[in-house]
Structure formats: C-alpha cells, structure tokens
Amino acid sequence: MAPQVPEKQWAQVIEKTGGPVEYKEIPVQKPGPDEILVNIKYSGVCHTDLHAVNGDWPLPTKLPLVGGHEGAGEVVAMGELVNDWQIGDYAGVKWINGSCLSCDFCQQSDEPLCSKALLSGYTVDGSFQQYCIAKAAHAARIPKECDLAGIAPVLCAGITVYKGLKESGAKPGQTVAIVGAGGGLGSLAQQYARAMGLRTIAIDSGDDKKKMCMEQLGSYAFVDFATSKNVVKEVQEATPDGLGPHAVILVAVNEKPFQQAAEYVRPRGTVVCIGLPAGAYLKAPVFESVIKMVTIKGSYVGNRKDSAEAIEFYRRGVIKAPYKVVGLSKLQEVYDLMHKGQIAGRYVVDTSN
Ligand code: 8ID
Ligand code: ZN
C-alpha cells in the first residue's frame, strides 16, 4: 500500500535573492506523469546552495525557491508513465533534476550540457523540503544498504569530484592537488582519488582541515594557502621529483587559486576547474602554458552513469568523508559557517526537525 503523503510539509524557502531562508510549512506538490515524489530524509548542503541564495552567478534562480540538490530519501508516489521505480525505493535528488533526453548533448549522455536541463534547488524546487519531485529518468538509484545521511553528499559533491578526477586523466600512482580540500567537494575528492589509486596533496587552510585531510582523508601533504609564503613553490616541492602534480582539481570558492594552478601543474598536466567563485576569471601565463603543454578545462557535475558509479564506490565502503547532521530548521546557521569558510567536510540536514 502506498504511504500516506501529507498535504503540507516543512521546507526552507527563499522569497527573494539575497535571502534569508525561511523555515515554514508549504504544500506538498503532486508528481507529473514522468516524475517521482521523494520523501527526503537527508540533504547535503553544497556551496552552490549558498550561491543560489546570494544570486551571485550569471544565471537567475526561480523565486520563491526551495534550495538543495543532495537529497536522499524514499519514493512515496509517482506519475502514471513511471514504471521502473517502486514505492519504497531509495532515490537521490541530484543537481540535474531532468533534461530533454533528445538534444545533441543528451543523445551522447552529456545531459548536464542540455540547454533545457532542470536544476534542483535552482530552476526547480530542491531537497530542502520533506517531499521533493524529480524526473524518474534522472533520479539517482540508491541501494538499500546505503545509509541516507552518509550518501547525501555523494549526490552532488561525490559525483562532481569523481567526474572531475576522470576528466583530469590522472592515472593510478600519479599525484593530484586538491584545492579547497577541506570543504565538501574537496574532502570527497581526496577519498575518490585514493580509491582510484591516486596520491593527493591537499590545499586549504587551518589546523582542523589539515588534520582531517592528512589523518582521515588520505592526503600525504597539506599546503596552507593562508600562511604559505609561496603556494606554487610549496605545491611543487610536495611532489616526489619537484616537478608538480599531474593534475589539479580546483574546488575552492576563490579566484586566486584559479590563477595559480597552471603555474604549479606538471608539464603535460591538467587543471580541472570545478569551483564557481562569483565573477571569477581564469588566468594562466601563455608562455609557460604552451611550453609545458598544460591542459585547462572545466568539469560540471556528472551524467547518470557517472552518478551510478560514484554511488557504487560509496556502497562498497571505500568512500568515507566526514559530515555533521543538523535539523533542516538550522540551515541558515550552516550557511553562516560556510560563508566564513569554517566547515571542515560537509553538513547534512535532517528534514525531520
Ligand atoms: O559541477 C560543478 N562544477 C560543481 C558542483 C558542485 C559544486 C561546482 N560546485 C562549486 C560550488 O558552487 C562552489 O563554488 O564548487 C565550489 C565548492 O563547493 P563546496 O565544496 O560545497 O564548498 P565549501 O565546502 O565551502 O568548500 C570550499 C573550500 O575552499 C577553500 C575553503 O577554505 C573551503 O574549505 N578555499 C577557499 I574559499 N579559498 C581557497 C584557496 N585560495 C581555498 N582552498 C585553497 N586555496
Ligand atoms: Zn552541489
């Protein structure tokens, strides 16, 4: 028997760009023909959600908006065209909520590039509510043995860094610098990198983040960007032959490292840009980039296959990144800490309080 779905639910809503988020009761939506309704139990809080509140990207959000795109929960209802989900299945609401499935990009499984892609917690309501809608074709399938709080951060941060590491072309045994290593994406990046046989140098700041990166997440070196006299030199010196890391994964929310990475990456190395600091520009010296044959590229979330693979790493138990759980009602406090760069790892909100 299908579970009882209430008429009303608790949600965090932004009425206008700039915030604040308001914790209040709103109606539960009904799924359309090709959609599922997910009873969200936990949702990770990504820095993208803060960009959405602040409206600092050149892409407007819907308003009013329910943010959130790392939602993990259970399917409680579905539209009449959905025949490959069961009530009670674990489902994940990820950033790509839906796409057209027929454009040039969707045809080659590049659905994040679809011009009609629906973005959870940005152009459609997301997972900072108890009941969230997702397109059945795009919702992530979460195996029943996974715990929903732990897997929530995988649904954006995990998928994104796993894809970014694949895009970097780094091979087992090679070294990757993770810039912004102490944050949500960065902490998962070190875990995926380790599971993929890569060695990591963590770049971030502060003793808490250093301890987490070195003792819990598997990095063999830490460079503190705030106290280092010369980040470029320190990163290169942290590699065994002093020539720099084979790849750089940029997940910081600050322009400066985007203008430094090409300087310390190894000849033939790849710089993968993932973080999206507001109004930032990439910059690299033409001379060195050419004679070092450096590749600089962007990487944007992942497709359905990347998502399934990233989830499978978690299911196997090889991805363990720290997270703290607080009630959904405390979302603003999480944003305040995030704004100050004071979160080591990820916060996950529990939608029951
Ligand atoms: O698909 C994508 N490309 C994608 C997917 C998901 C998230 C992109 N993002 C973007 C977010 O929108 C955000 O801009 O990635 C960025 C990082 O998201 P996050 O990991 O959720 O943010 P966080 O937890 O706040 O961590 C950021 C870390 O960067 C460090 C901070 O100390 C923090 O630990 N950092 C900063 I700010 N400046 C730094 C610097 N100069 C730095 N680390 C190293 N060097
Ligand atoms: Zn995200």
Side-chain angles (χ1 to χ4, degrees), residues 23 26 33 99 105 120-121 146 148 153 165 170-171 182-183 189 201 216 225 231 247 249 258 294 302 320 347-348:
Y23 186 58
I26 61 167
S99 74
F105 299 108
S120 302
C146 294
L148 292 174
L165 286 162
K171 297 189 177 63
I201 300 170
Q216 278 182 277
F225 74 87
V231 170
I249 301 289
F258 286 77
V294 169
K320 287 199 175 73
Y347 265 90
V348 169

PDB file of all heavy atoms in Angstrom, residues 23 26 33 99 105 120-121 146 148 153 165 170-171 182-183 189 201 216 225 231 247 249 258 294 302 320 347-348:
ATOM      1  N   TYR A  23      12.138  29.021   7.351  1.00  0.00           N
ATOM      2  CA  TYR A  23      11.664  27.663   7.635  1.00  0.00           C
ATOM      3  C   TYR A  23      10.160  27.728   7.836  1.00  0.00           C
ATOM      4  O   TYR A  23       9.694  28.375   8.784  1.00  0.00           O
ATOM      5  CB  TYR A  23      12.364  27.156   8.909  1.00  0.00           C
ATOM      6  CG  TYR A  23      12.100  25.718   9.264  1.00  0.00           C
ATOM      7  CD1 TYR A  23      12.399  24.694   8.378  1.00  0.00           C
ATOM      8  CD2 TYR A  23      11.585  25.380  10.509  1.00  0.00           C
ATOM      9  CE1 TYR A  23      12.186  23.367   8.717  1.00  0.00           C
ATOM     10  CE2 TYR A  23      11.368  24.045  10.857  1.00  0.00           C
ATOM     11  CZ  TYR A  23      11.675  23.053   9.946  1.00  0.00           C
ATOM     12  OH  TYR A  23      11.459  21.740  10.275  1.00  0.00           O
ATOM     13  N   ILE A  26       4.776  24.499   3.689  1.00  0.00           N
ATOM     14  CA  ILE A  26       4.303  24.762   2.317  1.00  0.00           C
ATOM     15  C   ILE A  26       3.571  23.509   1.812  1.00  0.00           C
ATOM     16  O   ILE A  26       3.744  22.427   2.372  1.00  0.00           O
ATOM     17  CB  ILE A  26       5.471  25.129   1.351  1.00  0.00           C
ATOM     18  CG1 ILE A  26       6.489  23.966   1.250  1.00  0.00           C
ATOM     19  CG2 ILE A  26       6.177  26.405   1.787  1.00  0.00           C
ATOM     20  CD1 ILE A  26       7.478  24.126   0.097  1.00  0.00           C
ATOM     21  N   PRO A  33       3.368  13.210 -14.811  1.00  0.00           N
ATOM     22  CA  PRO A  33       3.351  11.851 -15.366  1.00  0.00           C
ATOM     23  C   PRO A  33       4.702  11.138 -15.367  1.00  0.00           C
ATOM     24  O   PRO A  33       4.769   9.930 -15.137  1.00  0.00           O
ATOM     25  CB  PRO A  33       2.864  12.058 -16.809  1.00  0.00           C
ATOM     26  CG  PRO A  33       2.205  13.390 -16.826  1.00  0.00           C
ATOM     27  CD  PRO A  33       2.766  14.207 -15.710  1.00  0.00           C
ATOM     28  N   SER A  99      16.339  16.470 -17.901  1.00  0.00           N
ATOM     29  CA  SER A  99      16.851  17.071 -19.139  1.00  0.00           C
ATOM     30  C   SER A  99      15.984  16.543 -20.270  1.00  0.00           C
ATOM     31  O   SER A  99      15.170  15.633 -20.061  1.00  0.00           O
ATOM     32  CB  SER A  99      18.326  16.709 -19.352  1.00  0.00           C
ATOM     33  OG  SER A  99      18.444  15.364 -19.763  1.00  0.00           O
ATOM     34  N   PHE A 105      23.335  16.853 -26.957  1.00  0.00           N
ATOM     35  CA  PHE A 105      24.110  16.514 -25.751  1.00  0.00           C
ATOM     36  C   PHE A 105      23.493  15.330 -25.006  1.00  0.00           C
ATOM     37  O   PHE A 105      24.191  14.412 -24.588  1.00  0.00           O
ATOM     38  CB  PHE A 105      24.243  17.742 -24.844  1.00  0.00           C
ATOM     39  CG  PHE A 105      24.961  18.868 -25.523  1.00  0.00           C
ATOM     40  CD1 PHE A 105      24.287  20.002 -25.935  1.00  0.00           C
ATOM     41  CD2 PHE A 105      26.316  18.770 -25.788  1.00  0.00           C
ATOM     42  CE1 PHE A 105      24.949  21.025 -26.599  1.00  0.00           C
ATOM     43  CE2 PHE A 105      26.997  19.789 -26.449  1.00  0.00           C
ATOM     44  CZ  PHE A 105      26.306  20.926 -26.860  1.00  0.00           C
ATOM     45  N   SER A 120      17.962  21.147  -9.765  1.00  0.00           N
ATOM     46  CA  SER A 120      17.310  21.037  -8.454  1.00  0.00           C
ATOM     47  C   SER A 120      17.796  22.140  -7.522  1.00  0.00           C
ATOM     48  O   SER A 120      19.003  22.395  -7.405  1.00  0.00           O
ATOM     49  CB  SER A 120      17.661  19.699  -7.797  1.00  0.00           C
ATOM     50  OG  SER A 120      17.279  18.621  -8.611  1.00  0.00           O
ATOM     51  N   GLY A 121      16.873  22.751  -6.839  1.00  0.00           N
ATOM     52  CA  GLY A 121      17.243  23.791  -5.875  1.00  0.00           C
ATOM     53  C   GLY A 121      17.743  25.048  -6.543  1.00  0.00           C
ATOM     54  O   GLY A 121      18.429  25.867  -5.918  1.00  0.00           O
ATOM     55  N   CYS A 146      22.695   1.367   1.684  1.00  0.00           N
ATOM     56  CA  CYS A 146      23.373   2.644   1.954  1.00  0.00           C
ATOM     57  C   CYS A 146      22.607   3.426   3.012  1.00  0.00           C
ATOM     58  O   CYS A 146      21.381   3.432   3.024  1.00  0.00           O
ATOM     59  CB  CYS A 146      23.435   3.493   0.693  1.00  0.00           C
ATOM     60  SG  CYS A 146      24.464   2.786  -0.590  1.00  0.00           S
ATOM     61  N   LEU A 148      21.205   6.847   4.352  1.00  0.00           N
ATOM     62  CA  LEU A 148      20.786   8.006   3.562  1.00  0.00           C
ATOM     63  C   LEU A 148      21.511   9.289   3.957  1.00  0.00           C
ATOM     64  O   LEU A 148      21.723  10.161   3.120  1.00  0.00           O
ATOM     65  CB  LEU A 148      19.264   8.172   3.651  1.00  0.00           C
ATOM     66  CG  LEU A 148      18.464   7.055   2.959  1.00  0.00           C
ATOM     67  CD1 LEU A 148      16.965   7.216   3.213  1.00  0.00           C
ATOM     68  CD2 LEU A 148      18.733   7.026   1.456  1.00  0.00           C
ATOM     69  N   PRO A 153      25.854  13.606   0.584  1.00  0.00           N
ATOM     70  CA  PRO A 153      26.887  14.436  -0.067  1.00  0.00           C
ATOM     71  C   PRO A 153      27.443  13.843  -1.364  1.00  0.00           C
ATOM     72  O   PRO A 153      27.997  14.557  -2.186  1.00  0.00           O
ATOM     73  CB  PRO A 153      27.999  14.516   0.989  1.00  0.00           C
ATOM     74  CG  PRO A 153      27.331  14.208   2.287  1.00  0.00           C
ATOM     75  CD  PRO A 153      26.248  13.231   1.956  1.00  0.00           C
ATOM     76  N   LEU A 165      37.866  14.004 -11.501  1.00  0.00           N
ATOM     77  CA  LEU A 165      39.088  13.185 -11.464  1.00  0.00           C
ATOM     78  C   LEU A 165      39.218  12.380 -12.756  1.00  0.00           C
ATOM     79  O   LEU A 165      40.308  12.242 -13.316  1.00  0.00           O
ATOM     80  CB  LEU A 165      39.071  12.259 -10.245  1.00  0.00           C
ATOM     81  CG  LEU A 165      39.342  12.960  -8.906  1.00  0.00           C
ATOM     82  CD1 LEU A 165      38.882  12.101  -7.738  1.00  0.00           C
ATOM     83  CD2 LEU A 165      40.832  13.309  -8.761  1.00  0.00           C
ATOM     84  N   ALA A 170      44.323  11.727 -14.807  1.00  0.00           N
ATOM     85  CA  ALA A 170      45.391  11.241 -13.914  1.00  0.00           C
ATOM     86  C   ALA A 170      45.274   9.726 -13.760  1.00  0.00           C
ATOM     87  O   ALA A 170      44.168   9.185 -13.684  1.00  0.00           O
ATOM     88  CB  ALA A 170      45.284  11.920 -12.552  1.00  0.00           C
ATOM     89  N   LYS A 171      46.442   9.077 -13.731  1.00  0.00           N
ATOM     90  CA  LYS A 171      46.465   7.609 -13.680  1.00  0.00           C
ATOM     91  C   LYS A 171      46.932   7.127 -12.311  1.00  0.00           C
ATOM     92  O   LYS A 171      47.625   7.853 -11.593  1.00  0.00           O
ATOM     93  CB  LYS A 171      47.412   7.078 -14.754  1.00  0.00           C
ATOM     94  CG  LYS A 171      46.956   7.439 -16.150  1.00  0.00           C
ATOM     95  CD  LYS A 171      47.774   6.728 -17.203  1.00  0.00           C
ATOM     96  CE  LYS A 171      47.258   7.051 -18.584  1.00  0.00           C
ATOM     97  NZ  LYS A 171      47.377   8.489 -18.916  1.00  0.00           N
ATOM     98  N   GLY A 182      39.542  21.093   2.178  1.00  0.00           N
ATOM     99  CA  GLY A 182      38.848  20.968   3.459  1.00  0.00           C
ATOM    100  C   GLY A 182      37.345  21.097   3.357  1.00  0.00           C
ATOM    101  O   GLY A 182      36.614  20.833   4.316  1.00  0.00           O
ATOM    102  N   GLY A 183      36.831  21.496   2.211  1.00  0.00           N
ATOM    103  CA  GLY A 183      35.388  21.698   2.047  1.00  0.00           C
ATOM    104  C   GLY A 183      34.671  20.419   1.644  1.00  0.00           C
ATOM    105  O   GLY A 183      35.234  19.320   1.707  1.00  0.00           O
ATOM    106  N   ALA A 189      36.782  14.550  -2.771  1.00  0.00           N
ATOM    107  CA  ALA A 189      37.766  14.388  -3.863  1.00  0.00           C
ATOM    108  C   ALA A 189      38.960  13.560  -3.390  1.00  0.00           C
ATOM    109  O   ALA A 189      39.472  12.713  -4.125  1.00  0.00           O
ATOM    110  CB  ALA A 189      38.231  15.753  -4.369  1.00  0.00           C
ATOM    111  N   ILE A 201      47.700  15.863  -2.758  1.00  0.00           N
ATOM    112  CA  ILE A 201      48.220  16.985  -1.966  1.00  0.00           C
ATOM    113  C   ILE A 201      47.004  17.854  -1.680  1.00  0.00           C
ATOM    114  O   ILE A 201      46.299  18.263  -2.615  1.00  0.00           O
ATOM    115  CB  ILE A 201      49.239  17.813  -2.781  1.00  0.00           C
ATOM    116  CG1 ILE A 201      50.421  16.950  -3.213  1.00  0.00           C
ATOM    117  CG2 ILE A 201      49.686  19.045  -1.993  1.00  0.00           C
ATOM    118  CD1 ILE A 201      51.328  17.643  -4.229  1.00  0.00           C
ATOM    119  N   GLN A 216      42.383  11.673   8.114  1.00  0.00           N
ATOM    120  CA  GLN A 216      41.154  10.943   7.780  1.00  0.00           C
ATOM    121  C   GLN A 216      40.988  10.685   6.289  1.00  0.00           C
ATOM    122  O   GLN A 216      40.361   9.722   5.894  1.00  0.00           O
ATOM    123  CB  GLN A 216      39.933  11.765   8.223  1.00  0.00           C
ATOM    124  CG  GLN A 216      39.577  11.643   9.689  1.00  0.00           C
ATOM    125  CD  GLN A 216      38.337  12.470   9.971  1.00  0.00           C
ATOM    126  OE1 GLN A 216      38.416  13.674  10.185  1.00  0.00           O
ATOM    127  NE2 GLN A 216      37.182  11.841   9.942  1.00  0.00           N
ATOM    128  N   PHE A 225      47.102  27.642   2.261  1.00  0.00           N
ATOM    129  CA  PHE A 225      47.156  28.785   1.334  1.00  0.00           C
ATOM    130  C   PHE A 225      47.203  30.125   2.068  1.00  0.00           C
ATOM    131  O   PHE A 225      47.684  31.117   1.539  1.00  0.00           O
ATOM    132  CB  PHE A 225      45.970  28.752   0.349  1.00  0.00           C
ATOM    133  CG  PHE A 225      44.638  29.147   0.942  1.00  0.00           C
ATOM    134  CD1 PHE A 225      44.257  30.480   0.991  1.00  0.00           C
ATOM    135  CD2 PHE A 225      43.759  28.193   1.433  1.00  0.00           C
ATOM    136  CE1 PHE A 225      43.020  30.846   1.536  1.00  0.00           C
ATOM    137  CE2 PHE A 225      42.535  28.544   1.972  1.00  0.00           C
ATOM    138  CZ  PHE A 225      42.168  29.886   2.027  1.00  0.00           C
ATOM    139  N   VAL A 231      52.761  29.480  -2.444  1.00  0.00           N
ATOM    140  CA  VAL A 231      51.942  28.286  -2.675  1.00  0.00           C
ATOM    141  C   VAL A 231      52.490  27.484  -3.863  1.00  0.00           C
ATOM    142  O   VAL A 231      52.616  26.250  -3.800  1.00  0.00           O
ATOM    143  CB  VAL A 231      50.455  28.669  -2.905  1.00  0.00           C
ATOM    144  CG1 VAL A 231      49.649  27.472  -3.395  1.00  0.00           C
ATOM    145  CG2 VAL A 231      49.842  29.238  -1.624  1.00  0.00           C
ATOM    146  N   ALA A 247      47.841  16.539 -11.985  1.00  0.00           N
ATOM    147  CA  ALA A 247      46.549  17.199 -12.209  1.00  0.00           C
ATOM    148  C   ALA A 247      46.216  18.066 -11.006  1.00  0.00           C
ATOM    149  O   ALA A 247      46.733  17.856  -9.900  1.00  0.00           O
ATOM    150  CB  ALA A 247      45.449  16.149 -12.428  1.00  0.00           C
ATOM    151  N   ILE A 249      42.708  19.676  -9.115  1.00  0.00           N
ATOM    152  CA  ILE A 249      41.248  19.725  -9.041  1.00  0.00           C
ATOM    153  C   ILE A 249      40.904  20.982  -8.250  1.00  0.00           C
ATOM    154  O   ILE A 249      41.170  21.066  -7.047  1.00  0.00           O
ATOM    155  CB  ILE A 249      40.689  18.459  -8.326  1.00  0.00           C
ATOM    156  CG1 ILE A 249      41.095  17.174  -9.049  1.00  0.00           C
ATOM    157  CG2 ILE A 249      39.175  18.543  -8.140  1.00  0.00           C
ATOM    158  CD1 ILE A 249      40.411  16.924 -10.380  1.00  0.00           C
ATOM    159  N   PHE A 258      42.582  29.789  -9.042  1.00  0.00           N
ATOM    160  CA  PHE A 258      42.304  29.542 -10.462  1.00  0.00           C
ATOM    161  C   PHE A 258      43.358  30.235 -11.336  1.00  0.00           C
ATOM    162  O   PHE A 258      43.488  29.964 -12.503  1.00  0.00           O
ATOM    163  CB  PHE A 258      40.898  30.033 -10.835  1.00  0.00           C
ATOM    164  CG  PHE A 258      39.805  29.133 -10.316  1.00  0.00           C
ATOM    165  CD1 PHE A 258      39.420  29.169  -8.983  1.00  0.00           C
ATOM    166  CD2 PHE A 258      39.170  28.232 -11.162  1.00  0.00           C
ATOM    167  CE1 PHE A 258      38.425  28.332  -8.495  1.00  0.00           C
ATOM    168  CE2 PHE A 258      38.179  27.387 -10.683  1.00  0.00           C
ATOM    169  CZ  PHE A 258      37.805  27.437  -9.344  1.00  0.00           C
ATOM    170  N   VAL A 294      50.223  22.473 -21.061  1.00  0.00           N
ATOM    171  CA  VAL A 294      49.239  22.367 -19.992  1.00  0.00           C
ATOM    172  C   VAL A 294      47.824  22.330 -20.572  1.00  0.00           C
ATOM    173  O   VAL A 294      47.518  23.029 -21.531  1.00  0.00           O
ATOM    174  CB  VAL A 294      49.388  23.576 -19.029  1.00  0.00           C
ATOM    175  CG1 VAL A 294      48.224  23.654 -18.057  1.00  0.00           C
ATOM    176  CG2 VAL A 294      50.713  23.499 -18.292  1.00  0.00           C
ATOM    177  N   GLY A 302      28.031  15.409 -13.301  1.00  0.00           N
ATOM    178  CA  GLY A 302      28.317  14.163 -13.997  1.00  0.00           C
ATOM    179  C   GLY A 302      27.018  13.683 -14.633  1.00  0.00           C
ATOM    180  O   GLY A 302      25.939  14.188 -14.286  1.00  0.00           O
ATOM    181  N   LYS A 320      34.734   7.458   2.622  1.00  0.00           N
ATOM    182  CA  LYS A 320      34.279   7.882   3.951  1.00  0.00           C
ATOM    183  C   LYS A 320      34.754   9.300   4.196  1.00  0.00           C
ATOM    184  O   LYS A 320      35.920   9.527   4.496  1.00  0.00           O
ATOM    185  CB  LYS A 320      34.856   6.944   5.027  1.00  0.00           C
ATOM    186  CG  LYS A 320      34.194   5.574   5.035  1.00  0.00           C
ATOM    187  CD  LYS A 320      34.440   4.857   6.362  1.00  0.00           C
ATOM    188  CE  LYS A 320      33.682   3.552   6.437  1.00  0.00           C
ATOM    189  NZ  LYS A 320      34.235   2.476   5.595  1.00  0.00           N
ATOM    190  N   TYR A 347      28.021  19.569   5.784  1.00  0.00           N
ATOM    191  CA  TYR A 347      26.847  19.500   6.662  1.00  0.00           C
ATOM    192  C   TYR A 347      25.726  18.805   5.903  1.00  0.00           C
ATOM    193  O   TYR A 347      25.552  18.998   4.697  1.00  0.00           O
ATOM    194  CB  TYR A 347      26.377  20.898   7.084  1.00  0.00           C
ATOM    195  CG  TYR A 347      26.948  21.317   8.420  1.00  0.00           C
ATOM    196  CD1 TYR A 347      28.156  22.001   8.490  1.00  0.00           C
ATOM    197  CD2 TYR A 347      26.290  21.001   9.605  1.00  0.00           C
ATOM    198  CE1 TYR A 347      28.696  22.365   9.715  1.00  0.00           C
ATOM    199  CE2 TYR A 347      26.827  21.358  10.833  1.00  0.00           C
ATOM    200  CZ  TYR A 347      28.019  22.039  10.881  1.00  0.00           C
ATOM    201  OH  TYR A 347      28.550  22.389  12.086  1.00  0.00           O
ATOM    202  N   VAL A 348      24.965  17.989   6.643  1.00  0.00           N
ATOM    203  CA  VAL A 348      23.809  17.296   6.087  1.00  0.00           C
ATOM    204  C   VAL A 348      22.623  17.693   6.953  1.00  0.00           C
ATOM    205  O   VAL A 348      22.726  17.656   8.187  1.00  0.00           O
ATOM    206  CB  VAL A 348      24.037  15.764   6.130  1.00  0.00           C
ATOM    207  CG1 VAL A 348      22.769  14.996   5.807  1.00  0.00           C
ATOM    208  CG2 VAL A 348      25.152  15.360   5.159  1.00  0.00           C
TER     209      VAL A 348
END
